[in-house]
Amino acid sequence: MESVHETKECLALNFKMNDLNDVDTILGIKVQKHERGFALSQSHYIEKVLEKFKHLNIKDSNIPYDSNFKLSENNGRAITQLVYVNTIRSL
């Protein structure tokens, strides 16, 4: 903890900053402290991406592959290249 305190002091000398104590979110990544370390999660980002591209008819699943899922026939709606690129970029 002493080195953490020294680092904060050094940063405060060079940058305008506030010490917010325990971190909750950093660079859009949620941080949760556990007994054995930290857990990082981007579940909120995934939810935003799914909401943004809701027209892709993405369905929830508790397993990576659902063998009972039936593919639907293409309804003829074309996805523009820009929408496709933005979807891939989000991943």
Side-chain angles (χ1 to χ4, degrees):
M1 287 306 294
E2 184 177 331
S3 62
V4 170
H5 182 68
E6 289 174 5
T7 302
K8 287 180 182 181
E9 285 180 350
C10 180
L11 289 171
L13 291 173
N14 295 296
F15 303 99
K16 181 179 177 183
M17 62 176 262
N18 294 322
D19 185 357
L20 302 176
N21 297 320
D22 291 340
V23 67
D24 176 58
T25 305
I26 185 166
L27 299 175
I29 300 172
K30 294 224 181 258
V31 179
Q32 295 176 323
K33 187 174 182 178
H34 296 284
E35 297 169 357
R36 296 170 50 186
F38 294 91
L40 305 177
S41 171
Q42 287 188 292
S43 59
H44 61 288
Y45 175 74
I46 294 168
E47 290 171 5
K48 283 174 41 178
V49 170
L50 290 175
E51 179 63 29
K52 181 177 179 180
F53 298 106
K54 63 185 171 190
H55 61 278
L56 296 178
N57 297 323
I58 298 171
K59 299 190 183 330
D60 292 343
S61 176
N62 292 329
I63 56 175
Y65 172 72
D66 182 359
S67 61
N68 295 320
F69 181 75
K70 303 294 182 212
L71 296 174
S72 59
E73 187 174 332
N74 185 345
N75 62 8
R77 191 188 77 192
I79 298 176
T80 66
Q81 184 174 3
L82 182 59
V83 172
Y84 176 77
V85 168
N86 285 332
T87 304
I88 298 302
R89 183 182 302 141
S90 295
L91 298 175

